[in-house]
Amino acid sequence: MNINVPKAGTAKFDVLLDTTTNLSGASFSVSVPTSGMVATDEAGNTVTNGTAINGVTWNVVNAATLAVTLNSNSPVEQVVAANPNVETEVARFDFRPTNDSAQIQELVL
């Protein structure tokens, strides 16, 4: 890396991780020890970070799950008259993902 950070400036680094299913159940954290960053100033002097930077810990799961339940406010069973000009609510569902967010792409009834 060769990144110039101006005086009183800031450099932002995003740490990204690609995982595979064989990491499921593992946990990891990202940190920068005091010797983990070395830079030089304009005069060529070596500059190091004086304090370790501790990140957060992540737990790796294999996949998200999605629980689907009938909402308690779902309409009760009844006879519905056929009328092309009237929309009738027939059910309400709750979708609750765990371990990650979920994007519902298709719903077949």
Side-chain angles (χ1 to χ4, degrees):
M1 291 184 0
N2 188 18
I3 299 170
N4 183 32
V5 182
K7 182 178 181 180
T10 302
K12 177 183 173 184
F13 297 93
D14 293 328
V15 178
L16 306 175
L17 174 69
D18 287 330
T19 61
T20 61
T21 56
N22 61 356
L23 288 177
S24 182
S27 64
F28 63 94
S29 61
V30 176
S31 61
V32 179
T34 54
S35 62
M37 188 275 304
V38 178
T40 54
D41 64 14
E42 290 181 359
N45 299 313
T46 300
V47 179
T48 60
N49 55 319
T51 305
I53 303 166
N54 295 315
V56 296
T57 299
W58 291 273
N59 295 312
V60 180
V61 295
N62 190 22
T65 58
L66 184 64
V68 183
T69 57
L70 186 64
N71 184 291
S72 60
N73 292 321
S74 195
V76 296
E77 185 177 319
Q78 61 183 316
V79 176
V80 178
N83 185 339
N85 299 318
V86 176
E87 291 184 357
T88 303
E89 181 180 8
V90 295
R92 291 183 186 182
F93 297 99
D94 293 326
F95 298 87
R96 288 190 180 85
T98 57
N99 296 331
D100 202 348
S101 59
Q103 180 175 349
I104 300 168
Q105 298 169 331
E106 183 177 355
L107 181 61
V108 178
L109 300 174

